Amino acid sequence: MELLKDKAIIVTGASSGLGRSTAIAISKEGGRLILIGRDETRLSETKNMLEYSDNHIAIPFDLLEFEKYDQLFQRIKEENIILNGMVHCAGFTRILPIRALTTQNMNELLAIHYISFVNLVKFYSKKGMNAGGSIVGISAINAHIPQKCMTAYASAKAAMETACRTMSIELIEKNIRINSVVVGSMSTEMSKDVASSIEGVSSSYVNPVSRQLIPTVTADVISGSIMFLLSDLSSYMTGRELYADGGLL
Amino acid sequence: MNEKEKLEIIAESVEMETEELSKEMVLEDLENWDSVAVLTIIAAISDRLGRYPSAQDILAFRTVGDLMNYMD
């Protein structure tokens, strides 16, 4: 099956975790990838893991350099690529008690999860850049179920989700759909790092929600939900959230 | 970080005043030395020094002074 045959799709955060898994899944379905990530070495590792490796391009780029987005999209244009989709997987989490919140660390989380996403959408949706298509934001269950010490992360994800819903109205005029995947507990190198870093204080910060019906999965399983939203199978969906969280939380 | 800044971070994490703390005090004896305090210390060190200690690293220190030495 080639669900995304010849579709040109940007994946941010492509050098690891969910971004890497999603890129691999898209390549297996015939898509052409524009991989974006900070780490050049790991980004080319991802590229080498893709089906039809030569079909894709990797652009090392720091998404926090907002003034360079113009150049990034210019580069994509120079490759004669007309975009059909985009997934924003870049991001990180931080466990921050209220006492530890600072303007700086709150801004950092907002910048990567929300401001970079909206900027990406802005450039993606410019005339001549796209053939309509589907944009997917990656949200987190924390935006819906409160979790201790996650104020900054949860709020940044909630801002991104609200942006998806709101932007859907203007974007449909350009035949662009936009949805988010609400990811629950997921096992990646990053989540393992977080879990081991707080070992000894409390397990409740990692997974406070033990009522999930399906046990925690790896990133490649979450990629399935992203693929559905990227593909025409979800052509009647926009401005919505798709929960990939293992059920009742 | 100077001594005063280090002490302020620890005081903030356990909701005490800097004047109430001394280097000889045992962390575990402080009333509010709990998991949130440890996570607050980790966050402050990450923000200020760009290092990401684990909870185990922090829990290994015995006194306020031991923890201050780590914040260099």
Side-chain angles (χ1 to χ4, degrees):
Chain A
M1 195 167 59
E2 293 208 311
L3 209 52
L4 298 167
K5 190 168 166 45
D6 299 327
K7 304 266 193 202
I9 296 167
I10 294 176
V11 176
T12 70
S15 49
S16 65
L18 184 59
R20 176 177 276 179
S21 292
T22 301
I24 293 168
I26 291 170
S27 76
K28 286 182 181 163
E29 293 293 336
R32 182 182 184 197
L33 286 142
I34 300 96
L35 306 170
I36 295 173
R38 265 182 312 178
D39 189 316
E40 193 166 355
T41 313
R42 287 193 298 154
L43 202 59
S44 60
E45 274 170 28
T46 301
K47 187 165 176 274
N48 291 331
M49 294 163 104
L50 304 178
E51 293 282 321
Y52 316 108
S53 182
D54 295 336
N55 249 343
H56 316 288
I57 60 168
I59 309 178
F61 185 78
D62 183 350
L63 287 169
L64 297 181
E65 295 190 64
F66 297 124
E67 70 285 359
K68 292 188 181 164
Y69 276 42
D70 203 6
Q71 293 167 34
L72 171 68
F73 280 81
Q74 196 55 42
R75 165 83 202 280
I76 294 168
K77 216 170 187 176
E78 280 162 11
E79 300 271 347
N80 291 316
I81 294 170
I82 301 289
L83 295 165
N84 303 102
M86 178 165 70
V87 192
H88 184 44
C89 294
F92 57 88
T93 188
R94 285 195 64 189
I95 300 166
L96 297 167
I98 294 170
R99 265 173 249 172
L101 292 173
T102 63
T103 305
Q104 189 196 328
N105 58 36
M106 287 188 281
N107 272 334
E108 281 169 5
L109 285 161
L110 268 180
I112 192 64
H113 294 290
Y114 164 66
I115 299 173
S116 65
F117 178 68
V118 175
N119 272 314
L120 285 164
V121 173
K122 177 180 161 180
F123 280 93
Y124 175 103
S125 61
K126 285 193 178 191
K127 201 174 173 187
M129 221 41 250
N130 64 80
S134 171
I135 299 172
V136 181
I138 304 301
S139 185
I141 195 66
N142 310 74
H144 301 269
I145 308 229
Q147 189 180 1
K148 200 172 180 181
C149 300
M150 295 304 270
T151 310
Y153 177 74
S155 303
K157 287 299 197 188
M160 195 248 17
E161 262 188 43
T162 303
C164 273
R165 282 193 291 273
T166 308
M167 290 191 290
S168 68
I169 304 166
E170 288 167 70
L171 291 175
I172 203 63
E173 293 166 10
K174 301 180 176 205
N175 281 320
I176 300 169
R177 298 185 296 111
I178 183 167
N179 296 284
S180 45
V181 175
V182 181
V183 179
S185 176
M186 173 176 69
S187 172
T188 60
E189 288 305 314
M190 203 185 286
S191 73
K192 282 180 206 158
D193 283 349
V194 172
S196 71
S197 75
I198 60 168
E199 195 185 339
V201 285
S202 173
S203 60
S204 70
Y205 301 103
V206 188
N207 187 8
V209 277
S210 52
R211 289 163 58 219
Q212 86 189 47
L213 301 175
I214 305 168
T216 296
V217 294
T218 48
D220 55 307
V221 179
I222 306 291
S223 297
S225 299
I226 297 171
M227 304 280 286
F228 167 70
L229 288 177
L230 283 174
S231 77
D232 292 337
L233 289 178
S234 61
S235 60
Y236 198 39
M237 281 181 73
T238 193
R240 298 292 185 197
E241 295 85 52
L242 181 64
Y243 284 71
D245 61 0
L248 184 78
L249 282 160
Chain B
M1 253 190 288
N2 62 36
E3 299 268 292
K4 187 169 166 280
E5 287 171 318
K6 293 179 188 176
L7 211 54
E8 275 169 2
I9 287 174
I10 298 171
E12 173 114 21
S13 77
V14 290
E15 298 188 301
M16 287 171 73
E17 300 298 326
T18 50
E19 300 77 44
E20 298 174 83
L21 287 172
S22 67
K23 286 187 178 180
E24 299 72 35
M25 286 176 150
V26 174
L27 291 164
E28 269 194 9
D29 294 343
L30 303 174
E31 192 189 337
N32 287 322
W33 183 249
D34 57 11
S35 57
V36 171
V38 173
L39 291 168
T40 305
I41 297 277
I42 293 172
I45 291 174
S46 313
D47 284 342
R48 304 284 194 90
L49 302 172
R51 277 207 314 256
Y52 294 84
S54 69
Q56 294 295 343
D57 294 335
I58 304 301
L59 290 167
F61 299 115
R62 201 177 80 85
T63 64
V64 170
D66 293 341
L67 183 52
M68 286 171 74
N69 289 337
Y70 177 76
M71 292 179 173
D72 281 322

